[in-house]
Structure formats: structure tokens, C-alpha cells
Amino acid sequence: MNWLELVGWAGSALLVWSLLQTRILRLRALNLVGCLILIGYNAAVQVWPMVGLNVVLAVINVWYLRKMLATRHDDRAYQVVEVGVGDQFLAHTLRVHAADIARFNPDFRPPPADADRSAFLVVRDDEVVGVVLAHAEADGIAQIDLDYVTRRFRDFTPGEFVYRRSSLFTDRGFRRVVSPPGMVAPYYHRLGFRPEGDAYVLDLTPATAGRG
């Protein structure tokens, strides 16, 4: 097997591996790289139908990547829906994703239905992409109990629409948001939170809530 065949096999393997990804951004990016490798390989061995196929697939991937990246911070693409802690759909969402939630939020325990908590679902079209649960602490602090992003959207930061693109906390009189205790791989540094001990903190002002 010569080096050119190795390139072809590598491109094919990357293409297959991309289809095993649960994160849509990563899937599209890896698929695009695989297509580009196979375009070069098939052009070198002059298999033009496969060149044409991979060119089309590459264009499709570029189109979807451009669309995803252009709307990742767009509040017209993502909506925040407040629900009750006892909401059945919220309970269903927490139950379906329980194992994945425990992986990133090992200290989280679902609150009872009558708990004094704020609950928000972040949705894109009709798909839930994130869940945020919080409760009030003294001195105007909103303590986040759960901040979960579904696997498909984990390369994005849908939590920003709860913390920075809405007045959901400031309207309740909160002046500070504190990240969940014990959260694995927190992403708050990307949202303007500052580290404070073992947590991340966001100081809220009316201007913060409307910032984009």
C-alpha cells in the first residue's frame, strides 16, 4: 500500500468517524475535512464521479457550518421558555438525559415539584437544547443548580441566552449569578463570568441583561 492509498483510507475513515459524532458542529467539521481529503485522493487517481460527489458534500457541509456559526449567538434562533419546576415536560427532559446530566453535574439532584426554583428551557425551533435550574440565595444571589446542554449542541453556548440575553434574573432582583457546584468542564469563562474560588460568578446589571 502506497502513501496515496493511505490518504484515501484516512479520508474514508474520517468520513465514517464524523457520522458517529453526536455534536452537530463537530460532525459537520469532520465530515468537511474528510470530503476535502477524498477530493484530493480521487482527483489524484482520476475517479471523477467520486470527486464530484465529495465536492457536493463539501459544499453542503460548508453551507450548514456557515448557518450554524452565524446563528450560534442569535436570539432569533434560540428562545428561553420558563416552566414550573413541577412541569411534566421538564421532568421528562431531566429523566431522558439523566445519565449525561450526572456526568457533567454529579452533585445535581432533581428538586421536588413544589420546590422554590426557577426553571428555564432553551429551545431551538421545537428542540430542547439546554436546561437551567436556579434558586435564590441571600444578598441577591441566583445560585444555579443545573446548567445542562444536550449533546448535539455542546459545541455551542445556549446558556448565554439565559444569563446575558434576557432579564430573567434582573427582573427578579438578582444582582449576581453563581455557577453550579462541582460542575465538570464549565464553560462560563466564555460568557463573561469571572472565577471566584471553586465557582464562576456573573455580576448583573440592567445593561448586562440586554447585551449581545
PDB file of all heavy atoms in Angstrom, residues 105-121:
ATOM      1  N   ASN A 105     -22.763  17.108  35.871  1.00  0.00           N
ATOM      2  CA  ASN A 105     -23.258  17.761  37.083  1.00  0.00           C
ATOM      3  C   ASN A 105     -23.472  16.705  38.165  1.00  0.00           C
ATOM      4  O   ASN A 105     -24.616  16.404  38.541  1.00  0.00           O
ATOM      5  CB  ASN A 105     -24.569  18.502  36.793  1.00  0.00           C
ATOM      6  CG  ASN A 105     -24.421  19.604  35.771  1.00  0.00           C
ATOM      7  OD1 ASN A 105     -24.186  20.765  36.101  1.00  0.00           O
ATOM      8  ND2 ASN A 105     -24.563  19.250  34.502  1.00  0.00           N
ATOM      9  N   PRO A 106     -22.393  16.103  38.661  1.00  0.00           N
ATOM     10  CA  PRO A 106     -22.527  14.972  39.582  1.00  0.00           C
ATOM     11  C   PRO A 106     -23.222  15.322  40.891  1.00  0.00           C
ATOM     12  O   PRO A 106     -23.752  14.426  41.557  1.00  0.00           O
ATOM     13  CB  PRO A 106     -21.065  14.548  39.830  1.00  0.00           C
ATOM     14  CG  PRO A 106     -20.241  15.745  39.475  1.00  0.00           C
ATOM     15  CD  PRO A 106     -20.978  16.430  38.374  1.00  0.00           C
ATOM     16  N   ASP A 107     -23.239  16.595  41.270  1.00  0.00           N
ATOM     17  CA  ASP A 107     -23.873  16.987  42.533  1.00  0.00           C
ATOM     18  C   ASP A 107     -25.357  17.314  42.374  1.00  0.00           C
ATOM     19  O   ASP A 107     -26.041  17.606  43.373  1.00  0.00           O
ATOM     20  CB  ASP A 107     -23.159  18.209  43.126  1.00  0.00           C
ATOM     21  CG  ASP A 107     -21.725  17.907  43.521  1.00  0.00           C
ATOM     22  OD1 ASP A 107     -21.429  16.722  43.804  1.00  0.00           O
ATOM     23  OD2 ASP A 107     -20.901  18.835  43.541  1.00  0.00           O
ATOM     24  N   PHE A 108     -25.871  17.268  41.162  1.00  0.00           N
ATOM     25  CA  PHE A 108     -27.255  17.676  40.932  1.00  0.00           C
ATOM     26  C   PHE A 108     -28.241  16.585  41.349  1.00  0.00           C
ATOM     27  O   PHE A 108     -28.046  15.406  41.044  1.00  0.00           O
ATOM     28  CB  PHE A 108     -27.481  18.014  39.456  1.00  0.00           C
ATOM     29  CG  PHE A 108     -28.931  18.270  39.120  1.00  0.00           C
ATOM     30  CD1 PHE A 108     -29.551  19.438  39.546  1.00  0.00           C
ATOM     31  CD2 PHE A 108     -29.666  17.350  38.394  1.00  0.00           C
ATOM     32  CE1 PHE A 108     -30.883  19.676  39.251  1.00  0.00           C
ATOM     33  CE2 PHE A 108     -30.994  17.584  38.089  1.00  0.00           C
ATOM     34  CZ  PHE A 108     -31.603  18.755  38.517  1.00  0.00           C
ATOM     35  N   ARG A 109     -29.299  17.006  42.030  1.00  0.00           N
ATOM     36  CA  ARG A 109     -30.415  16.139  42.362  1.00  0.00           C
ATOM     37  C   ARG A 109     -31.692  16.851  41.940  1.00  0.00           C
ATOM     38  O   ARG A 109     -31.901  18.007  42.307  1.00  0.00           O
ATOM     39  CB  ARG A 109     -30.462  15.834  43.861  1.00  0.00           C
ATOM     40  CG  ARG A 109     -29.220  15.132  44.400  1.00  0.00           C
ATOM     41  CD  ARG A 109     -29.083  13.730  43.827  1.00  0.00           C
ATOM     42  NE  ARG A 109     -27.913  13.050  44.368  1.00  0.00           N
ATOM     43  CZ  ARG A 109     -26.698  13.114  43.827  1.00  0.00           C
ATOM     44  NH1 ARG A 109     -26.499  13.863  42.740  1.00  0.00           N
ATOM     45  NH2 ARG A 109     -25.681  12.461  44.351  1.00  0.00           N
ATOM     46  N   PRO A 110     -32.555  16.192  41.171  1.00  0.00           N
ATOM     47  CA  PRO A 110     -33.794  16.856  40.737  1.00  0.00           C
ATOM     48  C   PRO A 110     -34.589  17.362  41.934  1.00  0.00           C
ATOM     49  O   PRO A 110     -34.791  16.621  42.904  1.00  0.00           O
ATOM     50  CB  PRO A 110     -34.545  15.739  40.003  1.00  0.00           C
ATOM     51  CG  PRO A 110     -33.475  14.788  39.558  1.00  0.00           C
ATOM     52  CD  PRO A 110     -32.438  14.830  40.650  1.00  0.00           C
ATOM     53  N   PRO A 111     -35.020  18.613  41.904  1.00  0.00           N
ATOM     54  CA  PRO A 111     -35.774  19.164  43.034  1.00  0.00           C
ATOM     55  C   PRO A 111     -37.192  18.606  43.064  1.00  0.00           C
ATOM     56  O   PRO A 111     -37.732  18.197  42.032  1.00  0.00           O
ATOM     57  CB  PRO A 111     -35.772  20.665  42.747  1.00  0.00           C
ATOM     58  CG  PRO A 111     -35.687  20.755  41.253  1.00  0.00           C
ATOM     59  CD  PRO A 111     -34.830  19.595  40.833  1.00  0.00           C
ATOM     60  N   PRO A 112     -37.834  18.576  44.236  1.00  0.00           N
ATOM     61  CA  PRO A 112     -39.244  18.174  44.293  1.00  0.00           C
ATOM     62  C   PRO A 112     -40.121  19.160  43.538  1.00  0.00           C
ATOM     63  O   PRO A 112     -39.741  20.322  43.327  1.00  0.00           O
ATOM     64  CB  PRO A 112     -39.546  18.173  45.797  1.00  0.00           C
ATOM     65  CG  PRO A 112     -38.493  19.050  46.404  1.00  0.00           C
ATOM     66  CD  PRO A 112     -37.273  18.890  45.552  1.00  0.00           C
ATOM     67  N   ALA A 113     -41.291  18.698  43.146  1.00  0.00           N
ATOM     68  CA  ALA A 113     -42.165  19.506  42.297  1.00  0.00           C
ATOM     69  C   ALA A 113     -42.605  20.805  42.959  1.00  0.00           C
ATOM     70  O   ALA A 113     -42.926  21.780  42.280  1.00  0.00           O
ATOM     71  CB  ALA A 113     -43.389  18.685  41.887  1.00  0.00           C
ATOM     72  N   ASP A 114     -42.613  20.837  44.281  1.00  0.00           N
ATOM     73  CA  ASP A 114     -43.061  22.051  44.978  1.00  0.00           C
ATOM     74  C   ASP A 114     -41.898  22.917  45.445  1.00  0.00           C
ATOM     75  O   ASP A 114     -42.079  23.849  46.229  1.00  0.00           O
ATOM     76  CB  ASP A 114     -43.934  21.665  46.167  1.00  0.00           C
ATOM     77  CG  ASP A 114     -43.196  20.785  47.176  1.00  0.00           C
ATOM     78  OD1 ASP A 114     -42.089  20.309  46.848  1.00  0.00           O
ATOM     79  OD2 ASP A 114     -43.736  20.561  48.272  1.00  0.00           O
ATOM     80  N   ALA A 115     -40.685  22.633  44.970  1.00  0.00           N
ATOM     81  CA  ALA A 115     -39.517  23.404  45.389  1.00  0.00           C
ATOM     82  C   ALA A 115     -39.579  24.827  44.838  1.00  0.00           C
ATOM     83  O   ALA A 115     -40.160  25.078  43.780  1.00  0.00           O
ATOM     84  CB  ALA A 115     -38.237  22.721  44.919  1.00  0.00           C
ATOM     85  N   ASP A 116     -38.990  25.744  45.588  1.00  0.00           N
ATOM     86  CA  ASP A 116     -38.946  27.140  45.155  1.00  0.00           C
ATOM     87  C   ASP A 116     -37.746  27.320  44.230  1.00  0.00           C
ATOM     88  O   ASP A 116     -36.655  27.699  44.670  1.00  0.00           O
ATOM     89  CB  ASP A 116     -38.849  28.055  46.374  1.00  0.00           C
ATOM     90  CG  ASP A 116     -38.936  29.528  45.983  1.00  0.00           C
ATOM     91  OD1 ASP A 116     -39.329  29.802  44.830  1.00  0.00           O
ATOM     92  OD2 ASP A 116     -38.602  30.384  46.826  1.00  0.00           O
ATOM     93  N   ARG A 117     -37.919  27.031  42.972  1.00  0.00           N
ATOM     94  CA  ARG A 117     -36.856  27.081  41.987  1.00  0.00           C
ATOM     95  C   ARG A 117     -37.362  27.795  40.732  1.00  0.00           C
ATOM     96  O   ARG A 117     -38.560  27.811  40.445  1.00  0.00           O
ATOM     97  CB  ARG A 117     -36.393  25.686  41.575  1.00  0.00           C
ATOM     98  CG  ARG A 117     -35.742  24.855  42.680  1.00  0.00           C
ATOM     99  CD  ARG A 117     -34.350  25.373  43.000  1.00  0.00           C
ATOM    100  NE  ARG A 117     -33.613  24.462  43.852  1.00  0.00           N
ATOM    101  CZ  ARG A 117     -33.698  24.429  45.170  1.00  0.00           C
ATOM    102  NH1 ARG A 117     -34.533  25.251  45.784  1.00  0.00           N
ATOM    103  NH2 ARG A 117     -32.963  23.583  45.881  1.00  0.00           N
ATOM    104  N   SER A 118     -36.430  28.363  39.983  1.00  0.00           N
ATOM    105  CA  SER A 118     -36.732  28.878  38.651  1.00  0.00           C
ATOM    106  C   SER A 118     -36.210  27.860  37.646  1.00  0.00           C
ATOM    107  O   SER A 118     -35.107  27.328  37.810  1.00  0.00           O
ATOM    108  CB  SER A 118     -36.058  30.231  38.422  1.00  0.00           C
ATOM    109  OG  SER A 118     -36.544  31.201  39.334  1.00  0.00           O
ATOM    110  N   ALA A 119     -37.010  27.577  36.642  1.00  0.00           N
ATOM    111  CA  ALA A 119     -36.631  26.567  35.647  1.00  0.00           C
ATOM    112  C   ALA A 119     -36.811  27.144  34.250  1.00  0.00           C
ATOM    113  O   ALA A 119     -37.857  27.731  33.936  1.00  0.00           O
ATOM    114  CB  ALA A 119     -37.477  25.310  35.810  1.00  0.00           C
ATOM    115  N   PHE A 120     -35.786  26.973  33.409  1.00  0.00           N
ATOM    116  CA  PHE A 120     -35.810  27.506  32.055  1.00  0.00           C
ATOM    117  C   PHE A 120     -35.371  26.427  31.064  1.00  0.00           C
ATOM    118  O   PHE A 120     -34.409  25.690  31.322  1.00  0.00           O
ATOM    119  CB  PHE A 120     -34.866  28.710  31.919  1.00  0.00           C
ATOM    120  CG  PHE A 120     -35.087  29.778  32.949  1.00  0.00           C
ATOM    121  CD1 PHE A 120     -34.241  29.884  34.050  1.00  0.00           C
ATOM    122  CD2 PHE A 120     -36.138  30.674  32.837  1.00  0.00           C
ATOM    123  CE1 PHE A 120     -34.420  30.859  35.012  1.00  0.00           C
ATOM    124  CE2 PHE A 120     -36.332  31.667  33.791  1.00  0.00           C
ATOM    125  CZ  PHE A 120     -35.480  31.760  34.881  1.00  0.00           C
ATOM    126  N   LEU A 121     -36.070  26.357  29.964  1.00  0.00           N
ATOM    127  CA  LEU A 121     -35.668  25.514  28.849  1.00  0.00           C
ATOM    128  C   LEU A 121     -35.176  26.421  27.722  1.00  0.00           C
ATOM    129  O   LEU A 121     -35.844  27.403  27.380  1.00  0.00           O
ATOM    130  CB  LEU A 121     -36.835  24.665  28.345  1.00  0.00           C
ATOM    131  CG  LEU A 121     -37.460  23.683  29.335  1.00  0.00           C
ATOM    132  CD1 LEU A 121     -38.658  22.980  28.689  1.00  0.00           C
ATOM    133  CD2 LEU A 121     -36.443  22.665  29.807  1.00  0.00           C
TER     134      LEU A 121
END
